[in-house]
């Protein structure tokens, strides 16, 4: 069953249940009238369903990383009653295309808006949220309250009330006052309230919680939302109403007050949903939402159908909650590229970097329609019926790009009495020449990786309870290694769990080195060759700003002293620039690993294993048995990387990764049509998670129907 047919089926089932309930009520009524109470004597009359209502809050320019750092008790309460999820905004992160996507439920390749000039807009022929509502149920009372000219004058609407107050004259005051009045005095059904001042303060002072003006504007909006919620709770019929509350920004931004570029700091957004209708998602969604999901979610809540293909998103009310990995099931999310509507315009006309649901994008990896790239759709048989795929994975650019997905296995592997087998399969084809198309699996355990530069000659590489000494002059690991950490690094055994599983290490350049593990760190005296007394200490208490990492100051992936008074810390898909002189993180961080910040490193968009500086102009970063070389002067990865660790590159260090047993599928020759690739391997012991990377080395390379299945 296709995804669309699946959702259509669910809608039909829900409608049938509703009709059946109505029939039962009718039978009960007839039974009462005609004195046949015994007709359904064993059934109790159900409470009539509550009346669905919607409050949509548009908070322009509120970036997701600011919310945990700002006092927002109202938003926090809404999250408790629902959920908040990361979301990716349009690739042209201007308010025009982003709000059009949110309010019309279609991606920008359909609505035609590229920036705030609205040139090429097709909105006159596309129904917005309120047009859908008023067409299907004109009796419903709807209102759109805004303070930005772009929405007011360039986005047609059928809302019963379309009111506007220019933000430079009124800020958000009149908008909020009118919203409170509508909630208190009318039988409103759907209300959209737009907040402008967070974006204004972001432009004027910087989109960062490090900026007090930006932070204060968020706190003010939180209080204003609280006033709206109070009015909702004071409504005379509140007990009979089922309120769905949604909050969303249009884009993020950077500390320089800018947005509009196709970079993670500008595209990273979020969606908050709260209310009984989304209680099933309080522990998270299996596939995170997208901006085009808002319109179908609201229509679904109101019981309004819409024409197939008229909207690009999915209703959150029918979304699957997060669930643990199961045996004999495909563990990959959106492995067939069919969850999103991929761009179907001819490839040479479409430089649209659309989102790919379920995957973290490292560069411009996208989904495209088969016809858009002149490929014949793959066919498959489902329940005896032949179907064909509509979309595939590919890359927009000649530069290396990656689609990454992290699969958590904790709880699954510990339940198994014997080793599991892993089957990776995919359809792959296209032009490769001297550049390969590959799908890699990185198996992650708790042993950790860390690298520490001692001086121009030596570096140390740590894994589990062992370490290696690498001689740069000889270009090889010295004899006698690996050796035990506990016997050769006095004091590291003070870590919780002992001298093993180091997360990261860095030479501070003053005779001291720092080791990080979990939420602790130890300072090590390199001259005395022992840990300083009084350690370990908590990272969050002594490394100002590292607590701004997602998840807090713990589980650092890598750290590298750049040799210029700056140390970079990596965690997940984020990094922080730490000023060694002021002893604190620079303002505006964390930022994201991308081609904007670490050119070439986008092939590893998250979870770097280790990093070490070679000299004043070159550094090395490592992941899963591979390494790349980064040039400090050119500020980019050297050509030809990543490369595999081997006897020719890091002699003796290949054992550092030996126990990981990574595996991959590789297409290294031209393949004009799809070919099925498959590999089976045993899951290494103690593996806690798997990173899946689809690596494109250029254009005209295609992947579809990925599956990763774990079996006994």
């Amino acid at each position: 069953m296709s995804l669309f047919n699946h959702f259509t089926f669910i809608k039909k089932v829900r409608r049938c249940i509703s009709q059946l309930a109505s029939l039962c009520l009718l039978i009960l009524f007839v039974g009462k009238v005609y004195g046949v109470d015994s007709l359904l004597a064993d059934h109790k009359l159900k409470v009539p369903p509550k009346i669905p209502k919607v409050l949509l809050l548009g908070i322009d320019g509120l970036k997701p990383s600011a919310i945990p750092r700002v006092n927002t008790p109202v938003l926090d309460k809404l999250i408790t009653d629902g959920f908040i999820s990361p979301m990716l905004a349009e690739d042209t992160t201007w308010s025009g295309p982003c709000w059009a996507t949110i309010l019309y439920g279609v991606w920008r390749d359909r609505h035609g808006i590229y920036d705030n000039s609205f040139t090429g807009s097709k909105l006159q022929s596309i129904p917005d949220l309120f047009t859908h509502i008023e067409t299907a149920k004109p009796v419903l009372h709807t209102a759109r309250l805004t303070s930005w000219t772009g929405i007011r004058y360039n986005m047609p609407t059928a809302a019963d009330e379309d009111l506007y107050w220019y933000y430079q004259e009124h800020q958000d005051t009149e908008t909020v006052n009118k919203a409170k009045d509508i909630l208190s005095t009318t039988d409103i059904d759907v209300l959209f309230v737009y907040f402008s001042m967070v974006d204004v303060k972001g432009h004027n002072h910087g989109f960062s919680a490090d900026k007090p003006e930006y932070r204060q504007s968020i706190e003010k909006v939180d209080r204003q939302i609280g006033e709206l919620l109070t009015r909702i709770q004071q409504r005379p019929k509140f007990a009979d109403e089922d309120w769905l509350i949604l909050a969303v920004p249009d884009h993020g931004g950077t500390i320089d007050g800018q947005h509009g570029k196709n970079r993670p700091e500008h595209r990273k957004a979020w969606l908050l949903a709260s209310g009984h209708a989304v209680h099933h998602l309080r522990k998270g969604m299996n596939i995170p939402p997208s901006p085009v999901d808002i319109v179908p979610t609201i229509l679904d809540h109101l019981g309004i159908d819409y024409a197939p293909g008229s909207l690009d998103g999915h209703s959150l009310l029918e979304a699957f909650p997060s669930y643990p990995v199961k045996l004999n099931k495909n563990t990959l999310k959106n492995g067939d590229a069919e969850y999103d509507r991929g761009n179907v315009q001819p490839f040479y006309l479409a430089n649209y970097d659309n989102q790919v649901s379920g995957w973290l994008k490292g560069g411009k990896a996208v989904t495209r329609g088969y016809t858009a790239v002149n490929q014949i759709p793959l066919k498959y048989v489902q329940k005896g019926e032949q179907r064909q795929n509509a979309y595939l994975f590919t890359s927009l650019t000649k530069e290396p790009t990656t689609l990454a997905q992290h699969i958590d296995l904790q709880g699954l592997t510990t339940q198994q009495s014997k080793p599991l087998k892993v089957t990776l399969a995919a359809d792959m084809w296209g032009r490769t020449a001297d550049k390969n198309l590959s799908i890699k699996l990185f198996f992650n355990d708790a042993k950790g990786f860390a690298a520490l530069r001692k001086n121009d000659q030596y570096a140390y590489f740590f894994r589990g309870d062992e370490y290696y000494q690498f001689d740069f002059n000889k270009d090889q690991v010295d004899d006698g290694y690996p050796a035990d950490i506990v016997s050769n690094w006095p004091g590291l055994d003070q870590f919780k769990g002992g001298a093993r599983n180091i997360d990261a290490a860095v030479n501070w350049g003053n005779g001291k080195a720092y080791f990080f593990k979990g939420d602790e760190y130890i300072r090590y005296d390199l001259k005395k060759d022992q840990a300083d007394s009084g350690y370990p200490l908590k990272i969050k208490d002594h490394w100002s700003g590292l607590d701004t990492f997602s998840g807090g100051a713990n589980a650092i992936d890598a750290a590298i002293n750049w040799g210029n008074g700056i140390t970079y810390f990596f965690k997940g898909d984020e990094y922080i620039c730490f000023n060694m002189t002021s002893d604190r993180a620079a303002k505006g961080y964390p930022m994201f690993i991308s081609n904007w910040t670490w050119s070439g490193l986008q092939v590893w968009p998250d979870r770097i294993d280790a990093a070490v500086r070679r000299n004043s102009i070159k550094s090395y970063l490592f992941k899963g048995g591979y390494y790349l070389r980064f040039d400090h002067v050119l500020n980019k990865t050297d050509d030809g990387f990543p490369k595999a660790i081997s006897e020719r590159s890091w002699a003796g260090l290949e054992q550092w990764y030996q126990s990981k047993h990574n595996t991959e599928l590789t297409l290294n020759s031209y393949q004009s049509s799809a070919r099925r690739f498959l590999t089976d391997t045993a899951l290494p012991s103690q593996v806690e998670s798997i990173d899946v990377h689809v690596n494109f080395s250029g254009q005209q390379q295609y992947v579809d129907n990925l599956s990763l299945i774990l079996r006994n």
Side-chain angles (χ1 to χ4, degrees), residues 301-546:
H301 185 60
L302 298 173
I304 295 175
D305 290 331
Y306 47 89
S310 62
L311 297 172
D312 287 338
H314 309 286
S315 170
L316 301 182
L317 276 57
E318 294 159 357
F320 294 107
S322 295
Y323 52 80
V325 170
K326 297 180 180 179
L327 294 180
N328 305 312
K329 299 287 186 180
N330 188 0
T331 63
L332 291 175
K333 303 171 184 177
N334 191 25
D336 60 2
E338 298 295 314
Y339 191 83
D340 302 303
R341 178 189 61 76
N343 195 327
V344 295
Q345 296 180 1
F347 202 76
Y348 61 89
L349 293 177
N351 191 30
Y352 180 31
D353 186 16
N354 60 291
Q355 77 160 29
V356 182
S357 290
W359 297 86
L360 175 64
K361 290 161 63 77
K364 295 183 178 181
V366 297
T367 54
R368 281 291 184 267
Y370 273 82
T371 55
V373 292
N374 297 319
Q375 298 297 310
I376 300 174
L378 297 184
K379 296 181 179 180
Y380 61 97
V381 176
Q382 185 181 72
K383 295 184 178 180
E385 182 179 349
Q386 190 175 72
R387 301 177 182 275
Q388 67 181 29
N389 288 23
Y391 308 107
L392 49 73
F393 300 108
T394 188
S395 175
L396 282 180
T397 71
K398 297 178 181 179
E399 304 300 321
T401 60
T402 296
L403 289 173
Q405 196 166 140
H406 182 72
I407 301 172
D408 187 355
L409 301 182
Q410 294 193 55
L412 175 66
T413 53
T414 56
Q415 298 172 5
Q416 307 305 314
S417 58
K418 59 182 180 179
L420 297 176
K421 293 182 179 179
V422 180
T423 300
L424 173 66
D427 293 314
M428 304 166 65
W429 70 106
R431 299 185 181 277
T432 56
D434 59 338
K435 297 182 178 181
N436 294 340
L437 167 64
S438 65
I439 304 172
K440 295 182 175 67
L441 299 185
F442 301 117
F443 298 119
N444 307 312
D445 54 30
K447 290 184 177 180
F449 291 89
L452 175 70
R453 178 184 185 271
K454 180 180 181 180
N455 49 39
D456 288 340
Q457 182 175 359
Y458 292 111
Y460 300 104
F461 294 84
F462 301 82
R463 172 148 167 78
D465 57 4
E466 298 179 328
Y467 77 101
Y468 300 78
Q469 178 174 287
F470 191 88
D471 189 320
F472 284 118
N473 294 338
K474 297 178 181 178
D475 200 23
Q476 66 180 32
V477 171
D478 284 340
D479 294 338
Y481 291 89
D484 291 337
I485 297 174
V486 68
S487 303
N488 296 279
W489 295 84
L492 293 191
D493 58 343
Q494 296 302 306
F495 273 129
K496 285 185 294 187
R500 61 174 61 86
N501 305 345
I502 306 297
D503 290 330
V506 61
N507 187 333
W508 215 241
N510 60 354
K512 304 288 187 180
Y514 292 93
F515 290 82
F516 301 84
K517 178 183 176 182
D519 61 355
E520 298 179 327
Y521 77 99
I522 287 176
R523 189 177 68 193
Y524 197 92
D525 191 308
L526 294 173
K527 186 175 182 179
K528 295 180 180 179
D529 197 21
Q530 65 181 28
D532 288 339
S533 60
Y535 292 86
L537 296 172
K538 295 294 184 182
I539 300 172
K540 66 180 179 63
D541 295 333
H542 300 275
W543 293 83
S544 179
L546 293 193

Side-chain angles (χ1 to χ4, degrees), residues 273-286:
S274 188
H276 178 75
V278 292
H279 274 189
H280 66 296
L281 300 176
R282 280 183 291 182
K283 293 185 178 180
M285 295 178 62
N286 186 47

Side-chain angles (χ1 to χ4, degrees), residues 204-263:
N204 292 342
H205 303 280
F207 291 90
S208 171
D210 291 320
K211 297 293 186 176
E213 297 86 355
Y214 185 71
R215 189 169 58 248
Q216 291 162 10
S217 70
I218 298 171
E219 293 172 346
K220 183 176 181 179
V221 166
D222 189 73
R223 292 192 297 271
Q224 291 172 324
I225 293 173
E227 294 172 10
L228 300 184
L229 297 183
T230 297
R231 294 300 178 99
I232 288 177
Q233 294 163 2
Q234 292 173 346
R235 289 168 61 84
K237 297 182 180 180
F238 174 69
D240 300 323
E241 296 173 341
D242 180 12
W243 280 90
L244 172 63
I245 299 171
L246 301 169
V248 62
D250 50 345
H251 54 69
T254 38
I255 197 169
D256 59 0
Q258 299 297 312
H259 63 80
K261 295 182 173 63
N262 182 14
R263 58 181 297 178

Side-chain angles (χ1 to χ4, degrees), residues 51-52 133-134 137-142 160 187 189-190 302 304:
I51 302 170
I133 296 171
E134 295 297 339
K137 294 186 176 182
V139 69
L140 296 184
H141 181 194
T142 59
D160 293 324
D187 191 20
D189 292 292
V190 181
L302 298 173
I304 295 175

Side-chain angles (χ1 to χ4, degrees), residues 32-68:
K32 281 289 184 182
V33 171
Y34 291 97
V36 285
D37 295 351
S38 60
L39 186 63
L40 290 174
D42 295 333
H43 294 266
K44 294 182 179 179
L45 187 64
K46 291 186 177 181
V47 177
K50 293 186 176 183
I51 302 170
K53 304 281 185 177
V54 178
L55 174 62
L56 175 59
L57 305 166
I59 311 175
D60 204 310
L62 176 48
K63 61 187 301 180
S65 61
I67 296 176

Side-chain angles (χ1 to χ4, degrees), residues 582-600:
S582 63
D583 197 30
R584 64 178 56 249
K587 292 183 177 180
Y589 288 84
M591 295 177 72
F592 296 94
I593 300 170
S594 73
N595 55 318
W596 283 88
T597 54
W598 292 84
S599 179

